[in-house]
Amino acid sequence: MKGLSRIGIVAGVWLFLFCGSSFAGAPDGSVSPEEGFLWELRNQEGEVYRLEGIPVQPDGPGHLLSFKTDIPGIILDGTTGKQEGQGLPSPAARPGEGRDPFQEEEVQESISDPLEPVNRVFFEFNDLFYFYLLKPVAQGYEAVVPETARLGVRNFFTNLGFPVRFVNCLLQGKFESASMEFARFILNSTVGLAGLIDVASEGAQMKRYDEDFGQTLGSYGIGTGFYIHWPLLGPSSLRDTFGRAGDSFLTPASYASETQYQLAVRSFDTVNETSFRIGEYEDLKKAAIDPYVALRDAYYQYRRSKIKE
Amino acid sequence: MVQCFPVRAVLSFFVGLLLAAPAWAGAPIEKIKSSTDKILSIVSDPAMKGQAKSGERRKLIRKVVDERFDWEEMARRSLARHWAERTDAEKKEFVTLFGNLLERTYLDKVEGYAGEKVFYQGESMDGEYATVDVKIVTTRNVEMPVRYRLRSKGNEWLVYDISIEGVSLVNNYRVQFSNILAKSPYKDLVSKLKEKSAQEQ
């Protein structure tokens, strides 16, 4: 029902915005669950906007569509189970098909990307940065530094991430996770030699609760916002960017005395982490027809699933 | 940059394809496990190792995989709304191209199998649809939750989507394809797929 009422509100806003406009180029009437639909609506100024219905699963139960539009100021977020007036389409149910009951768990929209041209430029920049700078450095580092040491460094930085995880668990009301994180921190910082050894995971089999402020905001119902692909930092969203900013207050490295030290610490962490992940980005590129979109969508789906859990 | 998001998650679905045999109550489990075991034995067979045998190996693996994965369903769902607009010949071509894309990437990953462990977390079934949750643990204790979606076709259960850490394969491709098709005609997508296949040879 939540999805329905959201659609209702959005549709209301939509109609309000276009109050007085007429819709030429009305939908051709063919709406079906597996095909979805694409309407092009023209207002009185002659501007054309698209409203698209995308099947969540093309041959599913016949009544799940998710919506996408480029009408400015509207963010459509939700699916409709059954049609409710308001000028929204009535998807036809296909008889005898049986339901795909698992569709309802996943609202498969994609993140809006109004900054796509800029994002793509940064994506290309990051691509070059990775292949020409980060990867060679990480490979050199990997060759020289033994794995145990690199794991130690990784554990050390992960341990330093405790305040972020802890506070965000609390903010989300996940008190058990928070106390688990606290216990992990104590254990790793003491027995684990200031975090170098991840005693909590390996010895005590404790789970790490990877929460951040972006997820906290998401759990409060704040939508993802649009996609931003930062140079060097990589994929993010409007909300998650605020999330990062918020988390930086809880990150020890931010308090190093001078910017160059902050930068050095972050670079070291990045190179170390990359030394474990060489090959992943290449694999993504290999599997994707459009790596930029592949990464953007994977990021979006991943963040959604992290917020849900 | 790559660290702030587990790119590995997107790619490890290929490991998932290999290892995470969907399991649920009944005879199908045996079938699935045998598929997985077959693939594993092909990959670890000493007689099959090495570059020279790579073509043969891939053929054998593909045969096993074809029994378990519904390429057409995956291709159809990834084209979504655009599928219905295609002619039959185009549909066939697309299924082949898309299947080859997945197969190639998959085989590359399969051959990098290095002892990951698979744990079956649970399943649910509803009529002709089923979901299986699996956890893959790598040798470095990195855990990856994998979710299979299956649909029954006659006697068989076939996989039509895989999600790793919440990232669905079909959805990821669907967004890519719809992004391309929004800006250019279908034949451009086909030529991109063909180009990619030529690149990888």
Side-chain angles (χ1 to χ4, degrees):
Chain A
M1 280 319 278
K2 194 160 155 224
L4 276 183
S5 55
R6 258 193 281 179
I7 288 285
I9 291 166
V10 165
V13 175
W14 181 40
L15 289 173
F16 172 74
L17 277 187
F18 281 83
C19 187
S21 311
S22 63
F23 295 118
D28 64 7
S30 72
V31 172
S32 68
E34 71 274 9
E35 294 168 19
F37 66 93
L38 175 62
W39 294 354
E40 287 177 350
L41 307 157
R42 206 171 302 123
N43 69 7
Q44 280 177 341
E45 279 79 37
E47 295 161 322
V48 177
Y49 297 101
R50 296 157 69 100
L51 174 62
E52 193 179 345
I54 305 154
V56 175
Q57 291 285 351
D59 98 309
H63 59 267
L64 280 184
L65 286 176
S66 81
F67 294 91
K68 220 169 78 160
T69 182
D70 63 0
I71 301 169
I74 301 282
I75 299 168
L76 285 178
D77 181 14
T79 57
T80 178
K82 303 175 193 113
Q83 66 284 7
E84 300 284 331
Q86 310 256 357
L88 289 176
S90 318
R94 226 175 34 170
E97 266 299 307
R99 293 183 27 135
D100 181 350
F102 303 112
Q103 284 180 209
E104 291 169 4
E105 298 166 5
E106 294 182 20
V107 176
Q108 306 286 19
E109 317 123 36
S110 58
I111 191 172
S112 76
D113 195 6
L115 302 178
E116 182 167 340
V118 178
N119 283 335
R120 280 194 185 262
V121 169
F122 289 145
F123 176 80
E124 293 301 324
F125 169 77
N126 284 342
D127 188 85
L128 291 173
F129 176 78
Y130 175 76
F131 283 109
Y132 287 106
L133 192 54
L134 182 57
K135 182 176 173 184
V137 170
Q139 279 173 324
Y141 175 77
E142 184 190 11
V144 166
V145 179
E147 191 183 5
T148 343
R150 289 185 287 124
L151 281 171
V153 171
R154 183 195 227 185
N155 290 334
F156 175 76
F157 280 111
T158 306
N159 199 41
L160 286 187
F162 157 74
V164 170
R165 293 191 295 272
F166 181 69
V167 169
N168 284 299
C169 281
L170 288 180
L171 289 175
Q172 293 181 45
K174 296 179 177 168
F175 299 116
E176 271 182 41
S177 311
S179 54
M180 183 77 94
E181 270 297 316
F182 190 73
R184 284 182 55 102
F185 179 66
I186 299 295
L187 197 55
N188 282 339
S189 305
T190 52
V191 179
L193 303 178
L196 289 175
I197 308 173
D198 196 353
V199 185
S201 299
E202 284 158 40
Q205 300 295 326
M206 292 164 81
K207 202 178 122 142
R208 195 175 80 229
Y209 292 91
D210 218 350
E211 299 290 340
D212 56 59
F213 195 50
Q215 287 178 63
T216 302
L217 292 174
S219 73
Y220 290 167
I222 294 176
T224 309
F226 50 81
Y227 181 67
I228 306 175
H229 193 98
W230 292 107
L232 301 184
L233 298 177
S236 181
S237 65
L238 185 62
R239 177 195 62 206
D240 291 342
T241 300
F242 284 117
R244 272 175 176 275
D247 284 334
S248 69
F249 290 110
L250 296 167
T251 310
S254 313
Y255 295 98
S257 48
E258 291 173 32
T259 322
Q260 70 203 51
Y261 292 134
Q262 288 182 32
L263 215 54
V265 169
R266 290 210 64 167
S267 309
F268 180 46
D269 184 10
T270 304
V271 171
N272 189 70
E273 185 64 30
T274 308
S275 71
F276 291 106
R277 295 187 185 277
I278 295 171
E280 289 179 6
Y281 179 60
E282 291 86 331
D283 287 340
L284 177 99
K285 290 188 79 175
K286 197 162 170 221
I289 301 295
D290 183 344
Y292 166 80
V293 177
L295 182 59
R296 177 184 88 193
D297 177 71
Y299 174 78
Y300 175 67
Q301 288 192 62
Y302 176 70
R303 292 295 290 176
R304 284 186 74 102
S305 90
K306 286 215 81 172
I307 289 168
K308 263 195 233 162
E309 71 183 23
Chain B
M1 159 195 102
V2 178
Q3 79 183 54
C4 29
F5 161 65
V7 177
R8 66 177 160 87
V10 179
L11 275 309
S12 45
F13 69 69
F14 290 116
V15 178
L17 279 179
L18 163 68
L19 298 169
W24 59 90
I29 299 181
E30 310 309 323
K31 282 192 189 167
I32 299 305
K33 280 210 170 132
S34 87
S35 292
T36 314
D37 290 342
K38 273 188 222 157
I39 297 180
L40 274 179
S41 71
I42 297 169
V43 171
S44 25
D45 182 1
M48 278 287 174
K49 286 215 191 277
Q51 265 298 88
K53 287 280 180 178
S54 136
E56 207 182 317
R57 209 166 49 221
R58 289 185 167 218
K59 256 206 346 240
L60 290 174
I61 296 177
R62 171 127 209 208
K63 201 155 83 67
V64 181
V65 167
D66 280 346
E67 290 170 359
R68 199 49 53 207
F69 289 86
D70 191 345
W71 300 121
E72 178 177 339
E73 188 73 16
M74 284 178 145
R76 185 160 79 96
R77 284 168 188 265
S78 69
L79 267 188
R81 155 165 87 74
H82 302 278
W83 175 262
E85 298 159 10
R86 307 271 72 80
T87 67
D88 281 341
E90 282 176 333
K91 285 180 184 175
K92 242 176 127 213
E93 183 192 31
F94 183 77
V95 172
T96 314
L97 284 172
F98 187 58
N100 287 341
L101 170 68
L102 292 181
E103 179 213 17
R104 265 195 323 272
T105 325
Y106 165 59
L107 286 173
D108 286 344
K109 289 265 106 195
V110 157
E111 299 190 334
Y113 171 66
E116 285 84 351
K117 294 200 282 285
V118 183
F119 300 97
Y120 298 101
Q121 307 284 75
E123 69 184 17
S124 52
M125 255 169 30
D126 191 337
E128 58 177 9
Y129 291 95
T131 296
V132 173
D133 286 314
V134 151
K135 186 167 73 172
I136 300 178
V137 181
T138 67
T139 43
R140 290 231 196 80
N141 275 336
V142 179
E143 289 184 8
M144 279 177 278
V146 177
R147 164 168 288 186
Y148 282 88
R149 291 183 193 281
L150 305 111
R151 192 172 174 188
S152 70
K153 271 204 170 134
N155 260 346
E156 278 289 359
W157 284 91
L158 299 177
V159 176
Y160 69 83
D161 191 14
I162 300 165
S163 302
I164 307 262
E165 301 210 34
V167 180
S168 143
L169 173 72
V170 163
N171 215 56
N172 193 264
Y173 278 109
R174 184 167 62 72
V175 175
Q176 287 183 57
F177 294 156
S178 81
N179 190 270
I180 293 171
L181 290 171
K183 302 176 185 152
S184 44
Y186 175 73
K187 58 178 168 60
D188 281 1
L189 175 60
V190 175
S191 62
K192 282 197 161 110
L193 282 167
K194 289 187 172 152
E195 217 181 285
K196 193 144 186 83
S197 145
Q199 258 175 26
E200 306 293 342
Q201 275 337 327

